[in-house]
Amino acid sequence: MRRFILSCILILSAFASFAQNKGFEKAVEATGGIGLDKYQKFSFGVNFVGGYRINDYFFVGAGAGYEYLDGLYYTSYEYHSGAGNSYHGTSNDVRNNIKVFGRLKANLTATKVSPFFAVDLGANFGLSSNEIKMANGFYFEPCFGCDFALTPKQAIYVMLGYNGIGYDYKAFDTTLGSAGSEMRHVLAGKFSIHLGFRF
């Protein structure tokens, strides 16, 4: 019984109140993503985030980062009426992107282990001179995560989310007539993960 009580005390101590300092806060994080549709295969990158912690529960800030993306470059469809057959093909390519974003974050508790909701709103800017920019433009990324405090000013955190972005690719189609191709714009989604260090 004493061992059980001691275990409960240790668990409660781990979740005890652990107020964070208010004021400027910064973080660096590694990111990764897996496409949830045919448009993006995977991505990885790094972000720097800085902002102001209003109190133990709310943070508002902005960030910038780099992303390496592997995704759909073009699709091809050819129909041969005489032969009665068709061909479907796809091609992937990679892009290097710079992104800038704003972040809102709401912690649910003021404890050492503190779950939170966050949302990033921003834009990707492709560094390629190619006309097909792929994931390029505005994006939104709602996330759920957890802070693991090391000190009142330092923490490691993980957050998981959904990233939705405007996506461009080229569609080659012999049924389109003399033009033969068109640029298509869609909403592409991916599962995202962030592993960060706040200091």
Side-chain angles (χ1 to χ4, degrees):
M1 185 66 176
R2 288 195 322 195
R3 190 173 292 177
F4 173 76
I5 293 172
L6 181 59
S7 298
C8 290
I9 291 171
L10 290 174
I11 291 170
L12 290 174
S13 297
F15 289 90
S17 180
F18 198 78
Q20 304 176 63
N21 288 343
K22 300 164 188 65
F24 184 73
E25 203 173 87
K26 53 193 179 294
V28 62
E29 59 187 35
T31 65
I34 299 173
L36 298 175
D37 45 45
K38 67 179 183 179
Y39 307 113
Q40 301 175 92
K41 288 181 70 177
F42 66 87
S43 67
F44 59 85
V46 62
N47 292 336
F48 176 80
V49 184
Y52 188 81
R53 176 160 291 281
I54 300 167
N55 55 37
D56 290 336
Y57 300 97
F58 295 104
F59 167 86
V60 59
Y66 162 80
E67 179 185 63
Y68 175 93
L69 169 74
D70 186 315
L72 180 67
Y73 178 65
Y74 71 79
T75 61
S76 178
Y77 173 76
E78 296 179 19
Y79 178 72
H80 304 283
S81 57
N85 57 24
S86 61
Y87 168 78
H88 298 266
T90 62
S91 178
N92 278 30
D93 202 1
V94 298
R95 290 290 182 270
N96 294 291
N97 296 325
I98 295 295
K99 56 184 180 177
V100 294
F101 57 92
R103 176 173 293 175
L104 297 174
K105 177 181 173 185
N107 285 82
L108 303 181
T109 66
T111 55
K112 284 188 175 183
V113 179
S114 177
F116 64 81
F117 289 103
V119 62
D120 289 353
L121 298 172
N124 268 17
F125 300 96
L127 299 179
S128 170
S129 59
N130 194 302
E131 65 165 334
I132 305 174
K133 300 295 186 183
M134 293 162 48
N136 188 68
F138 291 102
Y139 73 89
F140 64 95
E141 188 172 337
C143 297
F144 177 75
C146 194
D147 284 322
F148 301 91
L150 306 174
T151 71
K153 295 264 320 165
Q154 296 180 334
I156 56 175
Y157 62 88
V158 60
M159 61 184 195
L160 309 174
Y162 168 85
N163 179 289
I165 188 169
Y167 194 95
D168 294 319
Y169 70 98
K170 198 96 166 190
F172 295 92
D173 188 342
T174 57
T175 65
L176 293 175
S178 59
S181 69
E182 65 178 358
M183 191 73 75
R184 292 187 179 170
H185 186 76
V186 296
L187 176 66
K190 66 184 174 186
F191 168 77
S192 63
I193 182 168
H194 301 242
L195 299 173
F197 175 64
R198 173 174 58 80
F199 56 99

